[in-house]
């Protein structure tokens, strides 16, 4: 379980749990700060050591260059000349090598040290300053509130009003600062995932390209490096997407906090001051408690909490409420008070003080007190429906897009002018004018206006096309399971949708699949379409930060729909397939199988020192997959074969950003095993004489041996038994199908990288290596 999202609505409650979550975020950022400090220290030591090594190498090169073998006689033989010249060549080689080492040292400063120092100073430093302000305003707010609540009710009305205005103004300022601090905390938590890792990735790129003798190591590490570049870019894209959503939610809550109160099982909750009577002559004291009330059970809970000490100052108290009455100012010298009586203490009322008159009214209403607050229900009328007109709108828009703009770059990403979109939508949603609108032939309506109108219509439906009820069930398979189980789960859930929803979804997804087929021209790959239509087709009923963080999983569901639309909509799901909620029997992180393509070996990257990654053509004689779009990244939601590279370089590092130019690169990410990756030592491992150590390394995952250049594993590990840790369905006659726990006999490493050969129930065939564990 990671850090819990900080909900903006909790800023207004300022509950103990909210404070605990804030402290957890702060502690995580402090841990990140210490990590960066250590990394910077080690990086500077590395630069110093590199410079010392360079100086020693240069001195050695000078010694080689200055030394000259003298010959006897008046002429040299050819052998003597070659021996003499070899020292100069060695010297020149070391000189050139040290020039590249200097470039490497400079690149470490520019790509690792400076970005990390900048992140630590600008981002983490900014959070520290925000924390100081937040702590200061917390102290100021509650101190002023206590002082205000101690103000006598017998003061003049003008003085009381001025005091009320001052407290309210200070409270608003505190809430504003709290919202900004919470937003900043979560932004840094997300930002660090790429801004801290990306400089390290750039540093390793420079290191690998420097060591000419380490090309085999760089080649073996290349698939992980490529996948990491894709992960960083995806996280950056989701961060940018979710940040706008988070800021929009924050602004909504800032404008009207009460409307965005989070739904929970408490009817009312918040801070109250509770009067605690003491023996004479000490009088009474007022202690701040966090109080929660459930109307259904009439249970009232009080937790003493002091912000200065940062925690509870007493035990939780729970009682059953019998009645609540308002206290008038003539019976008590404090404002905003009311009395509660517990069922176990009849005749002994507990006096409580709210923060304001409005706060008291809300408590009185929740507690069924004598005063009640009129609740105004806002009913939002929306004319968008899944009716005949709705289907006509979608079909007309799709027909126009496929006729006029299927090859337009950025289709569905480029937004139309708002006024034009609204005008078109109003014409389409009017039964009198809908049929008269000609979208295919009229120049009045741009393609971007049509696409924006279609998206706006889908967002205007009373509930999303994939329904609130099934939202959580659709998200579950996107977060876990193998690619096959994800498709099966989505297939099953689609057929649980209402008939009209399923019909509309089929029309739309079929169109999106057609759009993705033209991705070479419109640049709208399946992944890009998932980003656009994930929030349009799916959205949770309650708008929270936690829900926004699930956007990436909504995108994955849409990608699955597009990639498998023929199977999902044209065939019935397996009747025996379990409900997604009970899908825990599926492995949570089943790894995708390695694709079997013989003869494919990626050439080593060129030694470049501007940190740009370039790859030559693949050695394979097979041509790249037809229809594979270039210019963006393909979907990561399902299996992709081992990538084939076109003649153009697949990606360039532009500054600190990765620009991808081949959709096939997604295969690197989808073909990574789910298990732990071996340590760096095992990448350079020479065949071990210790069978136990060798077997342990091989049982984790298969890697070619860089020392020998062989794609064959160590022979001492063959002819063993293995157990299946994930279920697998064969995709080829040469492969085996099996369930979890199946025992394979006579297991050997196949000539195909990433695959084993074994016998199960008398049948011999291929087994994905990352699906089994050696016994």
């Amino acid at each position: 379980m990671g850090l819990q999202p900080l909900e903006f609505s909790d800023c207004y409650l300022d509950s103990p749990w909210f404070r605990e979550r804030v402290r957890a975020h702060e502690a995580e950022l402090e841990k990140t700060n210490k990590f960066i400090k250590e990394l910077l220290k080690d990086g500077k030591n590395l630069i110093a050591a590199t410079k010392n090594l360079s100086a020693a190498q240069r001195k050695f090169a000078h010694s080689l260059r200055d030394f000259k073998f003298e010959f006897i006689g008046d002429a040299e033989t050819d052998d003597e000349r070659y021996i003499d010249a070899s020292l100069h060549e060695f010297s020149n080689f070391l000189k050139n090598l040290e020039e590249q080492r200097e470039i490497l040292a400079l690149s470490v400063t520019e790509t690792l040290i400076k970005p990390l120092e900048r992140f630590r100073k600008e981002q983490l430093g900014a959070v520290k300053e925000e924390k100081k302000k937040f702590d200061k305003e917390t102290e100021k707010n509650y101190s002023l509130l206590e002082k205000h609540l101690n103000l006598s009710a017998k003061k003049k009305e003008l003085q009381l009003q001025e005091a009320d205005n001052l407290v309210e103004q200070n409270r608003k300022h505190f809430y504003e600062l709290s919202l900004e601090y919470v937003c900043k905390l979560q932004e840094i938590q997300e930002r660090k995932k790429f801004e801290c890792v990306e400089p390290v990735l750039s540093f390793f790129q420079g290191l690998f390209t420097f060591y000419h003798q380490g090309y085999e190591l760089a080649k073996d590490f290349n698939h992980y490096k490529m996948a990491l570049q894709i992960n960083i870019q995806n996280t950056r894209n989701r961060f940018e997407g979710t940040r706008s959503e988070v800021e929009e939610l924050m602004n909504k809550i800032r404008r009207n906090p009460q409307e965005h109160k989070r739904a929970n099982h408490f009817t009312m909750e918040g801070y109250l001051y509770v009067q605690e009577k003491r023996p004479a002559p000490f009088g009474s004291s007022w202690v701040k408690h966090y109080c929660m009330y459930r109307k259904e059970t009439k249970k009232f809970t009080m937790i003493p909490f002091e912000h200065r000490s940062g925690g509870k100052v007493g035990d939780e108290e729970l009682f059953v409420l019998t009645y609540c009455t308002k206290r008038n100012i003539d019976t008590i010298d404090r404002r905003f008070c009311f009395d509660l009586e517990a069922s176990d203490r009849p005749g002994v009322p507990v006096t409580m003080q709210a923060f304001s008159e409005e706060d008291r009214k809300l408590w009185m209403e929740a507690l069924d007190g004598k005063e009640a607050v009129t609740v105004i229900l806002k009913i939002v009328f929306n004319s968008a429906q899944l009716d005949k007109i709705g289907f006509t709108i979608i079909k007309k828009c799709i027909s126009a897009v496929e006729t006029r703009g299927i090859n337009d770059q950025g289709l569905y990403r480029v937004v139309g002018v708002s006024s034009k979109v609204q005008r078109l939508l109003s014409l389409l949603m009017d039964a009198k004018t809908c049929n008269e609108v000609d979208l295919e032939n009229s120049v009045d309506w741009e393609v971007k206006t049509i696409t924006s109108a279609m998206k706006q219509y889908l967002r205007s439906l009373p509930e999303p096309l994939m329904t609130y009820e099934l939202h959580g069930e659709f998200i579950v398979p996107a977060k876990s399971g193998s690619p096959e189980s994800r498709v099966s789960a989505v297939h099953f859930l689609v057929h649980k949708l209402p008939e009209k929803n399923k019909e509309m979804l089929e029309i739309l997804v079929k169109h999106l699949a057609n759009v993705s087929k033209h991705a070479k021209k419109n640049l709208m790959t399946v992944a890009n379409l998932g980003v656009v239509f994930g929030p349009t087709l799916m959205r949770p009923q309650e708008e929270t930060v936690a829900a926004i963080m699930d956007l990436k999983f909504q995108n994955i569901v849409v990608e699955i729909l597009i990639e498998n639309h023929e199977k999902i909509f044209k065939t019935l799901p397996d009747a025996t397939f379990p409900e997604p909620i009970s899908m825990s029997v599926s492995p949570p992180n089943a790894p995708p199988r390695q694709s079997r393509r013989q003869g494919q070996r990626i050439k080593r990257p060129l030694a470049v020192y501007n940190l740009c990654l370039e790859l030559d053509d693949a050695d394979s004689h097979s041509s790249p997959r037809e229809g594979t779009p270039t210019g963006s990244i393909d979907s990561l939601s399902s299996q992709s074969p081992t990538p084939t590279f076109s003649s153009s370089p697949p990606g360039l590092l532009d500054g600190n950003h990765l620009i991808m130019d081949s959709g096939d690169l997604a295969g690197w990410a989808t073909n990574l095993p789910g298990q732990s990756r071996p340590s760096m030592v095992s990448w350079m491992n020479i065949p071990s004489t210790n069978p136990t150590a060798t077997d342990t390394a091989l049982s984790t995952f298969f890697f070619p041996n860089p020392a020998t250049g062989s794609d064959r594993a160590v022979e001492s590990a063959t002819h063993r038994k293995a157990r299946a840790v994930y279920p697998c369905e064969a995709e080829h006659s040469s492969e085996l199908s099996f369930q979890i726990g199946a025992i394979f006999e006579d297991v050997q490493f196949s000539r195909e990288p990433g695959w084993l050969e074994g016998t199960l129930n008398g049948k011999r065939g291929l087994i994905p290596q990352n699906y089994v564990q050696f016994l």
Side-chain angles (χ1 to χ4, degrees):
M1 181 67 183
L3 294 172
Q4 295 188 28
L6 300 174
E7 298 295 346
F8 293 125
S9 57
D10 284 347
C11 294
Y12 292 85
L13 290 176
D14 199 20
S15 67
W17 301 277
F18 169 72
R19 288 286 176 156
E20 289 177 6
R21 290 195 290 269
V22 169
R23 285 196 294 273
H25 279 258
E26 292 170 347
E28 174 59 24
L29 290 181
E30 183 59 30
K31 187 171 71 173
T32 301
N33 186 44
K34 291 180 180 178
F35 163 74
I36 293 176
K37 285 177 68 176
E38 287 296 320
L39 203 61
L40 288 172
K41 178 182 176 183
D42 294 341
K44 290 176 181 177
N45 290 339
L46 177 63
I47 293 174
T50 300
K51 290 180 178 178
N52 291 335
L53 175 61
S54 180
Q57 292 271 43
R58 286 181 180 276
K59 189 174 184 304
F60 185 73
H62 283 298
S63 298
L64 288 176
R65 183 193 62 192
D66 294 341
F67 183 78
K68 181 177 176 60
F69 289 107
E70 290 295 339
F71 59 93
I72 298 174
D74 56 359
E76 292 177 285
T77 65
D78 290 341
D79 291 336
E80 289 171 340
R81 285 197 298 272
Y82 293 150
I83 290 172
D84 190 51
S86 67
L87 296 181
H88 287 85
E89 290 300 321
F90 294 156
S91 175
N92 290 333
F93 169 78
L94 290 176
K95 179 183 177 182
N96 293 333
L97 188 65
E98 292 318 305
E99 289 176 356
Q100 302 303 324
R101 196 190 300 275
E102 284 184 357
I103 296 175
L104 174 64
L106 289 174
S107 73
V108 172
T109 302
E110 294 298 322
T111 63
L112 181 67
I113 303 298
K114 288 185 177 180
L116 289 178
E117 286 179 336
R118 186 163 56 248
F119 178 81
R120 183 168 170 266
K121 179 179 179 182
E122 296 177 0
Q123 302 297 333
L124 297 180
V127 171
K128 287 186 177 180
E129 291 300 319
E130 290 289 334
K131 173 176 168 51
K132 291 179 182 177
K133 292 180 184 177
F134 179 69
D135 291 341
K136 182 178 178 181
E137 284 299 319
T138 299
E139 173 66 23
K140 180 180 176 182
N141 179 63
Y142 287 107
S143 296
L144 183 61
L145 184 61
E146 288 185 5
K147 181 179 177 181
H148 178 62
L149 294 175
N150 286 320
L151 191 65
S152 174
K154 296 178 181 179
K155 294 281 187 179
K156 292 182 180 180
E157 185 63 27
L158 182 60
Q159 290 180 312
L160 293 176
Q161 288 181 0
E162 290 178 352
D164 288 349
N165 292 337
L166 179 61
V167 169
E168 185 62 28
Q169 183 180 1
N170 185 73
R171 186 184 302 167
K172 286 182 179 179
H173 179 65
F174 171 68
Y175 288 156
E176 288 278 335
L177 194 65
S178 180
L179 284 169
E180 292 173 1
Y181 182 53
V182 164
C183 186
K184 187 67 175 177
L185 276 177
Q186 297 188 120
E187 178 181 334
I188 297 302
Q189 296 289 8
E190 292 298 306
R191 188 186 290 274
K192 71 181 182 183
K193 295 175 185 176
F194 54 84
E195 290 205 3
C196 289
V197 179
E198 201 165 31
V200 177
L201 181 61
S202 299
F203 161 72
F204 272 99
Q205 176 62 31
L207 195 64
F208 286 143
T209 52
F210 166 73
Y211 288 109
H212 296 279
Q213 300 90 339
Y215 279 164
E216 287 297 325
L217 171 63
K219 179 191 65 177
D220 292 336
F221 195 72
N222 197 47
H223 69 282
Y224 174 72
K225 183 173 58 177
M226 298 290 287
L228 184 57
Q229 289 172 335
I230 293 174
N231 295 150
I232 291 173
Q233 189 63 23
N234 282 346
T235 305
R236 182 187 292 276
N237 290 341
R238 287 167 187 153
F239 165 76
E240 294 297 337
T242 55
R243 184 174 67 171
S244 61
E245 297 282 343
V246 168
E247 289 177 349
E248 183 180 349
L249 176 59
M250 182 183 70
N251 291 330
K252 286 181 182 178
I253 293 181
R254 176 185 288 153
R255 289 192 294 269
N256 198 334
Q258 289 299 327
E259 281 192 3
H260 290 80
K261 181 181 178 182
R262 292 180 63 204
N264 57 35
H265 54 274
F266 292 113
T267 308
M268 185 69 182
E269 60 180 318
Y271 282 101
L272 292 171
Y273 278 83
V274 180
Q275 186 182 36
E276 294 185 355
K277 296 180 180 179
R278 297 180 179 178
F282 298 106
S284 62
S285 63
W286 293 83
V287 180
K288 185 170 60 179
H289 288 66
Y290 192 80
C291 302
M292 298 164 288
Y293 177 67
R294 294 186 66 176
K295 182 175 288 189
E296 299 82 4
T297 59
K298 291 190 174 296
K299 289 184 178 180
F300 194 96
T301 307
M302 301 191 306
I303 304 173
F305 188 86
E306 178 51 60
H307 286 85
R308 293 190 186 94
S309 61
K312 299 177 183 178
V313 293
D315 296 329
E316 176 181 305
E317 184 178 354
L318 174 67
F319 61 84
V320 177
L321 179 72
T322 56
Y323 77 85
C324 168
T325 57
K326 177 182 176 182
R327 286 289 294 269
N328 295 322
I329 57 174
D330 56 349
T331 63
I332 190 169
D333 190 26
R334 292 176 80 103
R335 299 189 300 158
F336 320 136
C337 293
F338 57 93
D339 288 341
L340 302 181
E341 185 173 303
S343 60
D344 60 340
R345 287 172 287 180
V348 185
V350 179
T351 302
M352 298 190 173
Q353 183 181 25
F355 285 0
S356 65
E357 184 60 34
E358 180 65 24
D359 193 27
R360 178 168 67 173
K361 287 181 180 179
L362 292 173
W363 277 104
M364 293 287 290
E365 178 200 5
L367 299 170
D368 293 327
K370 292 183 179 180
E371 288 192 6
V373 179
T374 304
V375 180
I376 301 174
L377 296 177
K378 290 178 64 179
I379 301 176
V380 180
F381 176 77
N382 204 315
S383 59
Q385 299 292 334
L386 283 179
D387 52 13
K388 183 178 179 181
I389 291 181
F391 277 88
T392 302
I393 292 172
I394 294 298
K395 290 177 180 178
K396 285 176 73 75
C397 290
I398 287 176
S399 178
V401 170
E402 295 192 347
T403 302
R404 297 172 51 193
I406 195 72
N407 292 321
D408 288 3
Q409 286 194 5
L411 186 65
Y412 286 108
R413 271 193 180 276
V414 179
V415 182
V417 178
S418 179
S419 58
K420 292 183 179 180
V421 173
Q422 292 298 330
R423 189 165 76 252
L424 174 58
L425 201 54
S426 63
L427 290 173
L428 289 173
M429 295 180 69
D430 188 339
K432 297 178 180 178
T433 58
C434 180
N435 292 326
E436 297 176 2
V437 179
D438 184 4
L439 298 180
E440 294 187 21
N441 302 307
S442 176
V443 295
D444 296 334
W445 307 110
E446 298 174 285
V447 173
K448 63 181 181 181
T449 305
I450 298 171
T451 56
S452 297
M454 190 168 91
K455 289 188 294 182
Q456 183 61 43
Y457 166 78
L458 292 170
R459 294 192 193 105
S460 301
L461 292 170
E463 69 171 343
L465 203 56
M466 297 173 74
T467 72
Y468 291 132
E469 182 183 357
L470 294 177
H471 177 83
E473 296 186 41
F474 272 112
I475 291 294
V476 169
K479 290 183 175 180
S480 61
S482 64
E484 295 86 353
S485 67
R486 290 181 179 182
V487 175
S488 298
V490 172
H491 188 188
F492 181 83
L493 291 169
V494 164
H495 286 263
K496 288 180 66 177
L497 290 170
E499 195 59 37
K500 285 187 177 181
N501 295 58
K502 183 162 72 73
E503 184 182 350
M504 178 74 82
L505 186 63
E506 180 179 2
I507 293 171
L508 182 62
V509 171
K510 182 180 179 181
H511 164 64
L512 296 182
N514 189 26
V515 171
S516 68
K517 291 177 182 177
H518 295 77
K520 285 186 177 180
K521 294 184 178 179
N522 61 33
L523 305 183
M524 293 304 293
T525 61
V526 173
N528 288 339
L529 290 170
V531 170
V532 173
F533 280 91
T536 301
L537 301 179
M538 298 179 64
R539 62 180 184 274
Q541 196 156 10
E542 186 181 4
E543 191 176 10
T544 63
V545 174
I548 292 174
M549 295 304 172
D550 277 345
L551 277 176
K552 49 185 172 287
F553 301 113
Q554 297 175 192
N555 303 346
I556 290 173
V557 173
V558 175
E559 291 172 16
I560 293 172
L561 288 172
I562 296 172
E563 291 177 329
N564 303 275
H565 68 284
E566 288 289 341
K567 175 182 177 181
I568 290 173
F569 292 102
K570 299 300 183 185
T571 64
L572 292 175
D574 187 351
T576 62
F577 189 83
E579 295 274 348
I581 297 302
S582 61
M583 284 169 55
S584 58
V585 295
S586 299
N589 291 300
R593 292 175 288 180
Q594 300 295 315
S595 296
R596 299 188 297 109
R597 286 194 179 184
Q598 296 182 354
Q600 283 193 328
R601 294 182 64 84
I602 307 304
K603 285 189 177 180
R604 297 189 287 267
L606 300 175
V608 290
Y609 295 95
N610 59 354
L611 300 184
C612 292
L613 179 65
E614 298 182 3
L615 297 178
D616 286 343
D617 295 342
D619 288 343
S620 171
H621 297 292
S622 61
S623 60
R625 289 178 295 165
E626 292 184 4
T628 302
T630 57
S632 56
I633 306 171
D634 261 342
S635 165
L636 301 181
S637 62
S638 60
Q639 287 180 309
S640 300
T642 303
T644 306
F645 294 99
S646 63
S647 57
S648 60
L652 294 176
L653 283 170
D654 180 14
N656 287 329
H657 302 279
L658 174 67
I659 303 172
M660 306 303 296
D661 288 325
S662 174
D664 277 329
L665 291 182
W668 287 118
T670 55
N671 284 322
L672 288 178
Q675 290 92 336
S676 301
R677 193 176 303 283
S679 64
M680 282 300 296
V681 176
S682 67
W683 292 91
M684 300 180 289
N685 188 22
I686 297 175
S688 173
T689 56
N690 182 350
T692 304
T694 303
D695 292 352
T696 303
L698 290 173
S699 64
T700 305
F701 194 65
F702 172 79
F703 293 100
N705 190 331
T708 63
S710 173
D711 284 349
R712 190 91 173 152
V714 181
E715 291 296 328
S716 62
T718 60
H719 304 286
R720 296 183 53 186
K721 290 185 177 181
R723 177 189 290 112
V725 293
Y726 299 105
C728 176
E729 183 177 354
E731 296 178 353
H732 191 271
S733 59
S734 62
E735 301 172 16
L736 294 177
S737 296
F738 49 87
Q739 298 297 321
I740 297 176
I743 302 297
F744 303 93
E745 303 285 347
D746 192 23
V747 178
Q748 303 179 33
F749 285 96
S750 169
R751 293 185 179 276
E752 307 232 19
W755 290 79
L756 304 171
E757 293 179 11
T759 303
L760 178 65
N761 299 328
K763 181 181 179 182
R764 190 159 187 81
L766 292 172
I767 310 161
Q769 182 175 349
N770 51 349
Y771 274 55
V772 302
Q773 190 175 54
F774 282 100
L775 299 177

